[in-house]
Amino acid sequence: MAKDTKERILMAALDMFSKKGYEGTNIRELSASLGLVKSGIYKHFESKEAIWNALLDRMIAYYGERFGSPEHLPPVPDSPEEFIAMTMRMADLTIHDEQIVKTRKVLTLEQFRDDRARNLATKHFLTGLTEMFTHIFAGMMDKGLLRRGDPAMLAFAYATPISALIHLCDREPEKTEDAIRKIEAFSRHFIATYGVE
C-alpha cells in the first residue's frame, strides 16, 4: 500500500511539475490532488526536493527501460527497412508515451533552475540520442548497410532534426501527424543518402 501511495505521489508530482514547474508546485496542492493531507505526503517524502529527486530517478529508469540507455542499447538493425521501423517505433514512443512527454516538459522547464535537470535535458535531447545512434550507425557500417564514415557525426546529423520535430509536437500538438510524416521521410532520405546500394 505504501509503495502504491509513493508511486501515486510521484505520478501526481510529474503531472504538476510538467504544468507548473518545480517552483509553481506546492505540497498542499499536490496532497489535495491525491486526496491526502500534507502529512500524508511527508510520510513518504521528507520534502518537495526529495520528491523531485525521486521523480528524476524514476524518470531515468522509465526512459531507459522503454527507449534505451548506454546500458541497454537497441540491437543494430539488419536492413534499411528495419532501421526505419526502429526509428518510427522510437519516435512513436517518445511522442505518445504520456510519462515521457511529461518528463520532457519537466526537463524543458527546469533545465534553467536545476543542474540535474539540465544534465538530463542535455542527455535526453542531444548527447544520449547521439551516443545511441553512433552505436547503431557503427554497427550498420560493419554490416555493410551504411557507407563508411564518422558514425558520431552521422548520429548527430540524424538525431538533431528528429529531436527538433519531437519538441515541435510538445509545443504544437496539432502538428504531430505532420511531424511523424516528416520523421519517416527524413529517415528514408537519410538511408537513400548514406545507405549502401
Side-chain angles (χ1 to χ4, degrees):
M1 184 69 171
K3 187 176 179 184
D4 290 344
T5 302
K6 204 168 186 174
E7 183 68 13
R8 284 181 54 229
I9 292 167
L10 291 176
M11 289 298 86
L14 175 59
D15 188 55
M16 283 194 162
F17 290 155
S18 73
K19 293 173 184 168
K20 299 180 172 191
Y22 179 86
E23 296 296 336
T25 300
N26 67 55
I27 296 295
R28 181 174 287 114
E29 288 176 331
L30 180 60
S31 58
S33 76
L34 293 161
L36 300 171
V37 293
K38 280 173 65 173
S39 61
I41 298 271
Y42 290 124
K43 198 161 115 176
H44 299 281
F45 297 98
E46 64 186 38
S47 64
K48 185 166 85 168
E49 186 70 21
I51 294 170
W52 171 250
N53 284 316
L55 182 60
L56 290 180
D57 291 341
R58 188 189 180 288
M59 292 188 299
I60 292 165
Y62 186 87
Y63 191 84
E65 288 167 10
R66 283 152 185 82
F67 191 82
S69 67
E71 300 78 32
H72 180 65
L73 290 167
V76 175
D78 290 320
S79 71
E81 281 304 315
E82 195 177 309
F83 169 73
I84 293 165
M86 179 193 73
T87 295
M88 297 315 294
R89 279 192 309 274
M90 292 169 122
D92 184 66
L93 173 71
T94 305
I95 292 167
H96 293 109
D97 185 291
E98 192 175 326
Q99 289 185 52
I100 290 177
V101 170
K102 288 178 181 178
T103 296
R104 196 164 45 249
K105 289 178 180 179
V106 167
L107 294 178
T108 299
L109 289 171
E110 297 302 320
Q111 64 186 324
F112 304 105
R113 180 196 68 82
D114 182 271
D115 286 345
R116 192 167 175 213
R118 181 194 68 219
N119 293 337
L120 285 173
T122 298
K123 178 180 177 185
H124 288 297
F125 304 160
L126 182 62
T127 59
L129 284 173
T130 301
E131 288 170 11
M132 186 180 303
F133 279 105
T134 298
H135 159 77
I136 290 166
F137 292 155
M140 289 177 74
M141 287 174 191
D142 290 344
K143 290 182 177 185
L145 298 171
L146 287 180
R147 289 184 301 180
R148 282 274 169 211
D150 181 345
M153 192 52 64
L154 275 183
F156 178 74
Y158 188 71
T160 302
I162 292 174
S163 183
L165 286 166
I166 288 167
H167 281 275
L168 175 66
C169 295
D170 293 340
R171 285 190 306 276
E172 300 181 59
E174 68 278 7
K175 295 184 177 175
T176 295
E177 293 309 314
D178 184 53
I180 290 170
R181 281 192 295 273
K182 284 180 177 166
I183 290 169
E184 182 171 2
F186 174 68
S187 186
R188 291 189 181 284
H189 169 76
F190 181 88
I191 286 296
T193 304
Y194 297 103
V196 174
E197 293 182 25

